[in-house]
Amino acid sequence: AQSVTQLGSHVSVSEGALVLLRCNYSSSVPPYLFWYVQYPNQGLQLLLKYTSAATLVKGINGFEAEFKKSETSFHLTKPSAHMSDAAEYFCAVERGGSQGNLIFGKGTKLSVKP
Amino acid sequence: DVKVTQSSRYLVKRTGEKVFLECVQDMDHENMFWYRQDPGLGLRLIYFSYDVKMKEKGDIPEGYSVSREKKERFSLILESASTNQTSMYLCASRRRNEQFFGPGTRLTVL
């Protein structure tokens, strides 16, 4: 069975600082992994996805994530936080053989201090 | 641009009412999904559909049903609303490993 764990329900950084949001997965098959972002009062938007090509994946708004099989991790990073990055971030893994069903982590709320 | 729309942004219903949440996508996607989102629990899959009139239970289907009579429309039905169904409901459709989400319906059951 697949699962996703996001470490830290709240993360706070200063504007200009590094953003690091942690995600670990469990999967018995090669995983497809995703990061989604949710701004207040909106639906989710795809930031980036890993589908077994390059292990370093670049997404929108300057975010990137690295797939590390040995660590079963897919952490999201951004070198320099901007106030507009304040949102909730969800890591997800695609359930094998499931018509594209996703299993989501519980989310990490990112705050950015001026 | 893919567009997924949901019939209401906010909805208030009373316990025992039958509630319909509608979702429409405009990109001819075959797969559509209903999730509920609760603080600290993330998104949990209620039902999904991979074709017209086809549906599968997700992780938390109890108290819900769905209908997909046309490819573009996927409806979530609360047969008899209860207070523990107060939540944010998100609909999504899927194309090539990417799910596209609607803006959500915040349902309050009194």
Side-chain angles (χ1 to χ4, degrees), chain B residues 6 14 48 59 78 110:
Chain B
Q6 295 184 229
R14 297 211 173 271
F48 68 99
D59 298 314
L78 286 66
L110 301 175

Side-chain angles (χ1 to χ4, degrees), chain A residues 34 38 41 95 99-100, chain B residues 9 31 33 37 59 97 99:
Chain A
F34 305 81
Q38 185 179 35
N41 297 315
R95 215 181 304 229
Q99 300 278 351
Chain B
R9 292 299 305 271
N31 292 13
F33 308 83
Q37 180 182 11
D59 298 314
N97 301 117
Q99 290 195 19

